[in-house]
Coordinates of all heavy atoms in Angstrom, one line a residue:
Chain P
Y285 N 5.2 -16.8 28.7 CA 6.5 -16.4 28.2 C 6.8 -15.0 28.9 O 5.9 -14.3 29.3 CB 6.5 -16.2 26.7 CG 6.3 -17.6 26.0 CD1 5.0 -17.9 25.7 CD2 7.3 -18.4 25.7 CE1 4.7 -19.1 25.1 CE2 7.1 -19.7 25.1 CZ 5.8 -20.0 24.8 OH 5.5 -21.2 24.2
D286 N 8.1 -14.7 29.0 CA 8.5 -13.4 29.5 C 8.3 -12.3 28.5 O 7.8 -11.2 28.9 CB 9.9 -13.5 30.0 CG 10.1 -14.4 31.2 OD1 9.3 -14.4 32.1 OD2 11.1 -15.2 31.2
V287 N 8.6 -12.6 27.3 CA 8.4 -11.6 26.2 C 8.0 -12.3 24.9 O 8.5 -13.4 24.6 CB 9.7 -10.8 25.9 CG1 9.5 -9.9 24.7 CG2 10.1 -10.0 27.2
I288 N 7.0 -11.8 24.3 CA 6.6 -12.3 23.0 C 7.0 -11.4 21.9 O 6.6 -10.2 21.8 CB 5.1 -12.5 23.0 CG1 4.6 -13.5 24.1 CG2 4.6 -13.0 21.6 CD1 3.2 -13.6 24.3
L289 N 7.8 -11.9 20.9 CA 8.2 -11.1 19.8 C 7.2 -11.3 18.7 O 7.1 -12.4 18.2 CB 9.6 -11.6 19.3 CG 10.8 -10.9 19.9 CD1 12.1 -11.4 19.1 CD2 10.7 -9.4 19.7
L290 N 6.4 -10.3 18.4 CA 5.3 -10.5 17.5 C 5.4 -9.8 16.1 O 5.5 -8.5 16.1 CB 4.0 -10.1 18.2 CG 2.7 -10.2 17.5 CD1 2.5 -11.6 17.0 CD2 1.6 -9.7 18.4
D291 N 5.5 -10.5 15.1 CA 5.5 -9.9 13.7 C 4.1 -9.4 13.4 O 3.1 -9.9 13.9 CB 5.9 -11.0 12.7 CG 6.2 -10.4 11.3 OD1 6.4 -9.1 11.3 OD2 6.3 -11.1 10.4
I292 N 4.0 -8.5 12.4 CA 2.6 -7.9 12.1 C 2.0 -8.7 10.9 O 0.8 -8.9 10.9 CB 2.7 -6.4 11.8 CG1 3.0 -5.7 13.2 CG2 1.4 -5.9 11.3 CD1 2.5 -4.3 13.3
M293 N 2.8 -9.0 10.0 CA 2.3 -9.7 8.8 C 2.4 -11.2 9.0 O 3.5 -11.7 9.0 CB 3.0 -9.3 7.5 CG 2.6 -7.9 7.0 SD 0.8 -7.8 6.7 CE 0.7 -6.1 6.3
L294 N 1.3 -11.9 9.2 CA 1.3 -13.3 9.3 C 0.4 -13.9 8.3 O -0.6 -13.3 7.9 CB 0.9 -13.6 10.8 CG 1.8 -13.2 11.9 CD1 1.1 -13.3 13.2 CD2 3.1 -14.0 11.8
P295 N 0.6 -15.2 7.9 CA -0.2 -15.8 6.9 C -1.7 -15.9 7.4 O -1.9 -16.5 8.5 CB 0.4 -17.1 6.7 CG 1.3 -17.4 7.8 CD 1.7 -16.0 8.4
G296 N -2.6 -15.3 6.7 CA -4.0 -15.5 7.0 C -4.5 -14.7 8.2 O -5.7 -14.6 8.4
S297 N -3.7 -13.9 8.8 CA -4.2 -13.1 9.9 C -3.2 -11.9 10.1 O -2.3 -11.7 9.3 CB -4.3 -13.9 11.2 OG -3.0 -14.3 11.6
N298 N -3.4 -11.1 11.1 CA -2.5 -10.0 11.3 C -2.1 -9.9 12.8 O -2.9 -10.2 13.7 CB -3.0 -8.7 10.7 CG -4.2 -8.2 11.5 OD1 -4.0 -7.7 12.6 ND2 -5.4 -8.4 11.0
G299 N -1.0 -9.3 13.0 CA -0.5 -9.2 14.4 C -1.3 -8.2 15.2 O -1.3 -8.4 16.4
L300 N -2.0 -7.3 14.6 CA -2.9 -6.4 15.3 C -3.9 -7.1 16.1 O -4.0 -6.9 17.4 CB -3.5 -5.4 14.4 CG -2.6 -4.6 13.5 CD1 -3.4 -3.7 12.5 CD2 -1.6 -3.8 14.2
D301 N -4.7 -7.9 15.4 CA -5.8 -8.7 16.1 C -5.2 -9.7 17.1 O -5.6 -10.0 18.2 CB -6.6 -9.4 15.1 CG -7.4 -8.4 14.2 OD1 -7.5 -7.2 14.7 OD2 -7.8 -8.8 13.1
L302 N -4.1 -10.4 16.6 CA -3.4 -11.4 17.4 C -3.0 -10.8 18.7 O -3.1 -11.5 19.8 CB -2.3 -12.0 16.6 CG -1.5 -13.2 17.3 CD1 -2.5 -14.3 17.7 CD2 -0.5 -13.7 16.4
C303 N -2.5 -9.6 18.7 CA -2.1 -9.0 19.9 C -3.2 -8.9 20.9 O -3.1 -9.2 22.1 CB -1.5 -7.6 19.6 SG -0.8 -6.7 21.0
S304 N -4.4 -8.4 20.5 CA -5.6 -8.4 21.3 C -5.9 -9.7 21.9 O -6.2 -9.9 23.1 CB -6.8 -7.8 20.6 OG -6.5 -6.6 20.0
E305 N -5.8 -10.7 21.0 CA -6.2 -12.1 21.5 C -5.3 -12.6 22.6 O -5.7 -13.2 23.6 CB -6.0 -13.1 20.3 CG -7.0 -12.9 19.2 CD -8.4 -13.4 19.7 OE1 -8.5 -14.5 20.2 OE2 -9.3 -12.6 19.5
I306 N -4.0 -12.3 22.4 CA -3.0 -12.7 23.4 C -3.3 -12.0 24.8 O -3.3 -12.6 25.8 CB -1.6 -12.4 23.0 CG1 -1.2 -13.2 21.7 CG2 -0.6 -12.7 24.1 CD1 0.1 -12.8 21.1
I307 N -3.5 -10.7 24.7 CA -3.8 -9.9 25.9 C -5.1 -10.4 26.6 O -5.2 -10.4 27.8 CB -3.9 -8.4 25.5 CG1 -2.5 -7.9 25.1 CG2 -4.4 -7.6 26.7 CD1 -1.5 -7.8 26.2
K308 N -6.0 -10.9 25.8 CA -7.3 -11.4 26.3 C -7.0 -12.6 27.2 O -7.5 -12.8 28.3 CB -8.3 -11.7 25.2 CG -9.7 -11.5 25.5 CD -10.6 -11.8 24.4 CE -10.6 -10.7 23.3 NZ -11.3 -11.1 22.1
V309 N -6.1 -13.5 26.7 CA -5.8 -14.7 27.4 C -4.9 -14.4 28.6 O -5.0 -15.0 29.7 CB -5.1 -15.7 26.4 CG1 -4.5 -16.9 27.2 CG2 -6.1 -16.2 25.4
N310 N -3.9 -13.5 28.3 CA -3.0 -13.2 29.4 C -2.7 -11.7 29.4 O -1.8 -11.2 28.7 CB -1.7 -13.9 29.2 CG -0.6 -13.5 30.2 OD1 -0.9 -12.9 31.2 ND2 0.6 -13.9 30.0
P311 N -3.5 -11.0 30.2 CA -3.4 -9.5 30.2 C -2.0 -9.0 30.7 O -1.7 -7.8 30.4 CB -4.4 -9.1 31.3 CG -5.4 -10.2 31.4 CD -4.5 -11.4 31.2
E312 N -1.2 -9.9 31.3 CA 0.1 -9.4 31.7 C 1.2 -9.7 30.6 O 2.3 -9.3 30.9 CB 0.5 -10.3 33.0 CG -0.4 -10.1 34.1 CD -0.6 -8.6 34.5 OE1 0.5 -8.0 34.7 OE2 -1.7 -8.2 34.7
A313 N 0.8 -10.2 29.5 CA 1.8 -10.6 28.5 C 2.6 -9.4 28.0 O 2.0 -8.3 27.8 CB 1.1 -11.2 27.3
K314 N 3.9 -9.5 27.9 CA 4.7 -8.4 27.4 C 5.0 -8.7 26.0 O 5.9 -9.5 25.6 CB 6.0 -8.4 28.3 CG 5.7 -7.8 29.7 CD 6.9 -8.0 30.6 CE 6.5 -7.5 32.0 NZ 7.4 -7.9 33.0
I315 N 4.3 -8.0 25.1 CA 4.4 -8.2 23.7 C 5.3 -7.1 23.1 O 5.0 -5.9 23.3 CB 3.0 -8.2 23.0 CG1 2.2 -9.3 23.6 CG2 3.1 -8.3 21.5 CD1 0.7 -9.3 23.2
L316 N 6.3 -7.5 22.3 CA 7.1 -6.5 21.6 C 6.8 -6.8 20.1 O 7.2 -7.8 19.5 CB 8.6 -6.8 21.9 CG 9.6 -6.0 21.2 CD1 9.4 -4.5 21.4 CD2 11.0 -6.4 21.6
A317 N 6.2 -5.8 19.5 CA 6.0 -5.9 18.0 C 7.3 -5.7 17.2 O 8.1 -4.8 17.5 CB 5.0 -4.8 17.6
L318 N 7.5 -6.6 16.3 CA 8.7 -6.5 15.4 C 8.2 -6.6 14.0 O 7.7 -7.6 13.6 CB 9.5 -7.8 15.8 CG 10.8 -7.9 15.0 CD1 11.8 -6.8 15.3 CD2 11.5 -9.2 15.3
S319 N 8.4 -5.5 13.3 CA 7.8 -5.4 12.0 C 8.6 -4.6 11.0 O 9.5 -3.8 11.3 CB 6.4 -4.8 12.1 OG 5.9 -4.5 10.8
T320 N 8.4 -4.9 9.7 CA 9.0 -4.1 8.6 C 8.2 -2.8 8.5 O 8.7 -1.8 8.0 CB 8.9 -4.8 7.3 OG1 9.0 -6.2 7.5 CG2 10.0 -4.4 6.3

Side-chain angles (χ1 to χ4, degrees):
Chain P
Y285 300 90
D286 292 318
V287 174
I288 300 173
L289 269 186
L290 181 57
D291 191 19
I292 292 209
M293 283 303 173
L294 294 167
S297 64
N298 69 75
L300 305 177
D301 296 339
L302 184 53
C303 185
S304 301
E305 288 295 309
I306 298 170
I307 293 290
K308 213 178 284 172
V309 170
N310 176 13
E312 301 303 309
K314 285 167 181 166
I315 299 172
L316 175 58
L318 178 66
S319 170
T320 328

